Amino acid sequence: MTDLYYQPSGRFTVSGILGLLGVGALVAVPLALLYVYAVWYIPFIYVNFAVTLGFGFGLGWTLKKMVRAGKLRNPRLVGWLSVAIGVWAWYVQWCVYIALLAGAGETESLGSRASFTHTTFQEDVFLGSLLNPGAVFSVLPGLAEDGTWSIFSVTVSGFFLYLIWLIEFLIIVFLAWMLPHSEAGVPFSELADEWAEKTTLPQRAIHFIDAAATKAALEAADWNHLQVRLQDEDTALAPFSRLHFYRAPSDPECCYLSLENVTIELDKNGKSSEKTADVVEYLRVPPRVCTELHTRFGTEIKVQA
């Protein structure tokens, strides 16, 4: 059964690992600076949450690119290294915060609900903090007791502030792990020494209500189970399936299929969005069948009125 699906070889290069660690550690510094400055000067919790997501995603995106550039095909190793870089990035942002705290000046009010404190970045404090984790972590209990920010004139401190810090930590580390870990599992041709290129076929397939039955049929090489869904205006919001192929340009034998069910949802304003669910992921497909499916699903077909 495992031969039916792509399995990462687990191979990696020393240069790839060094590139992942080096670039990840370096990029974490400017990202941490941008993140902490944004949180410092934008005293709105919802914006701060979005900025945290941006910090984690930016780091994860960078590590993802390094996984591809370094041809790292070991998801477990990449995952652990990415977690380490995520923890480093989280630590760096605390060093930045302490450097801003050391240069804090007057507090300016933005009305009854928000305020911010003017500050200057203290480079010596930042560099000293990077080299002294003990001093950094010794500051945190005092910050938690006094609180570091407030909302609606209520200062958040103690247990609730620790909880927010934990959520922040988990977001940063999870996003730093998720993107590169997923990239390391993408099909790769060991013969041609190249990544498979993803192609999303434009023609939609019918929606598969019984995903388990569809998965079993495809694993049994019943390729006729994949049927084209004809397009017309009356079915614009009808569910469908989408085919993704992964093919190595220099290796015809490296061809894999991912199939997902797609449903269209409308919000209260009538705006549509897609919700996807995987049916199969990275299923091995013979070169002949791969070509046939590309022919069948490569051109969108519409019903003539």
Side-chain angles (χ1 to χ4, degrees), residues 25-81:
L26 288 174
V27 169
V29 177
L31 286 177
L33 281 165
L34 291 173
Y35 170 65
V36 176
Y37 265 96
V39 172
W40 186 281
Y41 284 106
I42 306 176
F44 301 104
I45 187 170
Y46 300 113
V47 177
N48 292 167
F49 178 73
V51 172
T52 304
L53 291 175
F55 181 24
F57 182 82
L59 182 61
W61 182 87
T62 301
L63 298 180
K64 173 183 174 180
K65 293 298 182 182
M66 294 309 301
V67 166
R68 196 166 190 87
K71 297 181 179 180
L72 303 178
R73 292 95 74 192
N74 191 318
R76 180 175 296 181
L77 176 61
V78 166
W80 281 113
L81 293 177

Side-chain angles (χ1 to χ4, degrees), residues 36-37 47 57 75 81 120 138 148 152 154 168 176-178 187 190 202 204 209 227 248 257 260 274 291 300:
V36 176
Y37 265 96
V47 177
F57 182 82
L81 293 177
T120 55
S138 67
T148 58
F152 301 117
V154 176
E168 174 191 57
W177 166 85
M178 180 186 69
E190 300 296 334
R204 298 174 174 181
I209 299 177
Q227 297 295 321
L257 166 69
E260 61 183 7
E274 291 186 357
T291 301
E300 189 170 358

Side-chain angles (χ1 to χ4, degrees), residues 37-45 48 97 105-119 148-155:
Y37 265 96
V39 172
W40 186 281
Y41 284 106
I42 306 176
F44 301 104
I45 187 170
N48 292 167
Y97 183 83
E106 296 182 356
T107 298
E108 181 176 337
S109 176
L110 297 176
S112 60
R113 294 186 177 182
S115 62
F116 71 90
T117 301
H118 292 278
T119 184
T148 58
W149 53 274
S150 60
I151 181 172
F152 301 117
S153 301
V154 176
T155 300

Side-chain angles (χ1 to χ4, degrees), residues 2 5-11 72-76 181-188 190 195 256 282 284:
T2 56
Y5 292 89
Y6 171 75
Q7 297 292 329
S9 66
R11 296 179 181 178
L72 303 178
R73 292 95 74 192
N74 191 318
R76 180 175 296 181
H181 178 270
S182 176
E183 187 69 13
V186 170
F188 184 94
E190 300 296 334
W195 293 99
Y256 297 89
Y282 305 151
R284 188 184 301 275

Side-chain angles (χ1 to χ4, degrees), residues 92-193:
V92 171
Q93 63 91 25
W94 270 116
C95 294
V96 174
Y97 183 83
I98 291 173
L100 292 183
L101 196 64
E106 296 182 356
T107 298
E108 181 176 337
S109 176
L110 297 176
S112 60
R113 294 186 177 182
S115 62
F116 71 90
T117 301
H118 292 278
T119 184
T120 55
F121 183 71
Q122 303 295 310
E123 294 182 8
D124 55 337
V125 175
F126 173 68
L127 295 175
S129 298
L130 284 178
L131 301 176
N132 194 349
V136 172
F137 292 125
S138 67
V139 172
L140 300 188
L143 293 177
E145 182 178 353
D146 297 334
T148 58
W149 53 274
S150 60
I151 181 172
F152 301 117
S153 301
V154 176
T155 300
V156 179
S157 61
F159 171 79
F160 292 104
L161 186 54
Y162 275 119
L163 181 60
I164 291 173
W165 287 349
L166 175 61
I167 293 173
E168 174 191 57
F169 171 80
L170 293 176
I171 289 174
I172 294 171
V173 174
F174 175 75
L175 290 177
W177 166 85
M178 180 186 69
L179 297 177
H181 178 270
S182 176
E183 187 69 13
V186 170
F188 184 94
S189 171
E190 300 296 334
L191 179 64
D193 192 36

